[in-house]
Amino acid sequence: MDTFRYRAGKLYCDDLEIDGLISQFGSPLFVYSQNNFVENLEAVRTAFQPIAPMICFSVKSCSNVNLLRLLVEQGAGLDVVSGGELYRALQAGADPSKIVFAGVGKSVEELESAVELDVFLINVESEDELRRLRGIAEKHQKRVKTGIRINPDLVDSTTHAKTATGGRASKFGVPSIHVPVMFEKFRNDRYINLSALHVHLGSPISTETVYVEALRRVYNLIREVQSMGGRLDTLDFGGGFAAHYDRSMPADTLSRASTAITRELEPLRRDGVRFIVEPGRVISANSGILVATVEYIKRGWDKTIVVLDAGMNILIRPTLYGAKHIIWPTCFQNYYGHWQDVENENQRDGSALSGVDVVGPICETGDYFALNRVLPSVKQGQHIAVFSCGAYAMSMASQYNSRPRPAEILVTGSKSAVIRRRESYSDLVALEL
Ligand code: LLP
């Protein structure tokens, strides 16, 4: 599903022209599509329907409370990794019985809030954390449903080193060989109900084979724990399902992953195990775009440099992970069609700028959205869309160089609503006493 489309050469979100939104709300601007969010959530639900997992949207991918509320109203649970995300989840109206809490460094205060609220599941990442959680559970006289996040010693070769989490060198999870001992120690514990496993391999993951291999390892572990008399009734198999940043990604990555995963989990389903999935970007990435304005087109020594009014403080993925985002003017010839096809050679006019760098205003050489990218010719003041910015863009944005963060707009049909106002200069110093 994609509501971002060009009609007669102008980019639209649903029925609203993007340039009109910029005139109304200013630049740079995040524009999200409500329909995209809802349909992508539905696609995940359909893909995993045979094992009917609890779908806990990963808040870190896109944290605006209005967007979380939208998904919660559609029946989603939430995956949180901090006290702040837990707070957002509650503000969004999430039912704690549909919240899972992950994270490698949960503080006493964070665990305490989760226990007080009775969140569905707390996934711990070390024996130290498990002992801390036990102390808090005892203080509150509660028996807390707990999972162990395992480190399966498995790396997906297509995932960026900075976002791969399943390898033995990563800080995440408990090495799988230590898991049975932890279960043994906490079996029948009065305050810890150790009954779940959690595995998240990293993201984005574009092949299903690594999920299958991880689940086989999990499966063996579950059987080992069961043979020791441990009871496991929940498996949280994480997120990381790839979004379609461009056409190089096959259209059926989600369905291929879900088919392989559901097949692998079928025996556990028959045994009564309940599943949790934590998708983030596959729901949010293509549900939002960033729109910026060309400030200058300058000639460098060897190339043309297009300077935008938005930079790495708003979208850090290109410089942090070498991530590719499609970048294209919001007005382009008389083009009709999907934004992912706009880069096609035959759509270009003769005045393409070849190999330009698209950069921001931040005082760092790493401040770019694309290097050596082919763009149609652009002019000063023209608006440029950066696609697939619904995930890990605004949620990772900062005020670096004292640049206020952009507004966020939600579009539904022919209506738009400001879901986060543009920050002002006074916001920059508001907390500095
Ligand atoms: N579950 C856990 C435990 C996670 O750590 C994550 C992401 C997810 C679920 C959701 O992953 P998703 O489905 O959104 O791929 N900033 C990086 C991504 C970091 C992901 C961190 N964990 C990026 O921009 O690609």
Side-chain angles (χ1 to χ4, degrees), residues 243-257:
H244 294 105
Y245 289 99
D246 63 26
R247 291 279 185 222
S248 66
M249 186 76 68
D252 61 347
T253 41
L254 176 63
S255 72
R256 282 215 324 269

Side-chain angles (χ1 to χ4, degrees), residues 56-62 79-81 100 102-103 123 125 149 160 162-165 172 198-205 211 236-243 245 277-284 315-317 320-321 323 325 391-393 395-396:
C56 291
F57 174 69
S58 193
V59 170
K60 68 179 84 62
S61 76
C62 182
D79 150 45
V80 304
V81 290
V100 292
N123 287 318
E125 303 218 15
R149 174 169 180 177
H160 193 275
K162 290 192 175 123
T163 55
T165 58
F172 293 101
H198 177 212
V199 63
H200 171 76
L201 298 169
S203 59
I205 293 179
Y211 282 111
D236 177 347
F237 58 90
F241 307 101
Y245 289 99
V277 62
E278 304 169 338
R281 78 184 73 220
V282 74
I283 293 174
S284 52
L315 174 67
I316 201 168
R317 303 190 72 253
L320 195 56
Y321 315 120
H325 287 255
Y392 304 110
S395 66
M396 293 178 82

Side-chain angles (χ1 to χ4, degrees), residues 75-323:
L78 297 175
D79 150 45
V80 304
V81 290
S82 68
E85 287 194 354
L86 186 54
Y87 178 80
R88 282 183 180 277
L90 297 177
Q91 293 292 307
D95 179 346
S97 70
K98 284 186 172 177
I99 293 176
V100 292
F101 196 173
V104 77
K106 302 181 203 76
S107 68
V108 169
E109 293 72 21
E110 289 174 324
L111 287 172
E112 197 123 38
S113 320
V115 167
E116 278 167 14
L117 283 163
D118 293 320
V119 301
F120 180 69
L121 176 66
I122 300 176
N123 287 318
V124 299
E125 303 218 15
S126 62
E127 202 169 323
D128 250 17
E129 187 188 350
L130 190 49
R131 274 194 292 273
R132 177 179 274 183
L133 179 60
R134 190 191 184 278
I136 293 167
E138 182 174 6
K139 177 174 150 201
H140 289 266
Q141 288 297 302
K142 288 187 174 176
R143 190 152 193 265
V144 175
K145 184 167 171 70
T146 309
I148 297 177
R149 174 169 180 177
I150 68 161
N151 179 310
D153 182 14
L154 201 57
V155 179
D156 171 34
S157 58
T158 63
T159 304
H160 193 275
K162 290 192 175 123
T163 55
T165 58
R168 67 194 293 137
S170 112
K171 68 176 179 177
F172 293 101
V174 174
S176 32
I177 50 160
H178 299 156
V179 171
V181 181
M182 280 169 78
F183 267 92
E184 184 56 38
K185 283 190 191 161
F186 286 82
R187 186 149 57 102
N188 303 327
D189 189 274
R190 190 149 166 213
Y191 301 106
I192 294 289
N193 169 18
L194 197 50
S195 52
L197 284 182
H198 177 212
V199 63
H200 171 76
L201 298 169
S203 59
I205 293 179
S206 34
T207 58
E208 64 277 20
T209 43
V210 68
Y211 282 111
V212 169
E213 179 54 32
L215 290 177
R216 291 197 176 144
R217 293 181 191 192
V218 168
Y219 192 80
N220 292 339
L221 208 49
I222 291 181
R223 291 295 178 236
E224 194 177 337
V225 169
Q226 282 171 340
S227 70
M228 294 160 33
R231 225 175 56 82
L232 273 165
D233 58 21
T234 308
L235 172 61
D236 177 347
F237 58 90
F241 307 101
H244 294 105
Y245 289 99
D246 63 26
R247 291 279 185 222
S248 66
M249 186 76 68
D252 61 347
T253 41
L254 176 63
S255 72
R256 282 215 324 269
S258 64
T259 305
I261 289 171
T262 51
R263 191 186 312 122
E264 215 51 42
L265 294 181
E266 178 53 24
L268 291 177
R269 189 195 66 79
R270 282 201 302 270
D271 284 357
V273 173
R274 185 174 176 194
F275 304 106
I276 299 170
V277 62
E278 304 169 338
R281 78 184 73 220
V282 74
I283 293 174
S284 52
N286 286 351
S287 299
I289 64 171
L290 170 65
V291 194
T293 303
V294 176
E295 293 283 14
Y296 302 103
I297 299 156
K298 60 183 270 183
R299 282 224 52 75
W301 280 95
D302 309 307
K303 58 190 168 187
T304 301
I305 301 168
V306 176
V307 186
L308 302 180
D309 63 354
M312 65 187 281
N313 63 311
I314 300 177
L315 174 67
I316 201 168
R317 303 190 72 253
T319 192
L320 195 56
Y321 315 120

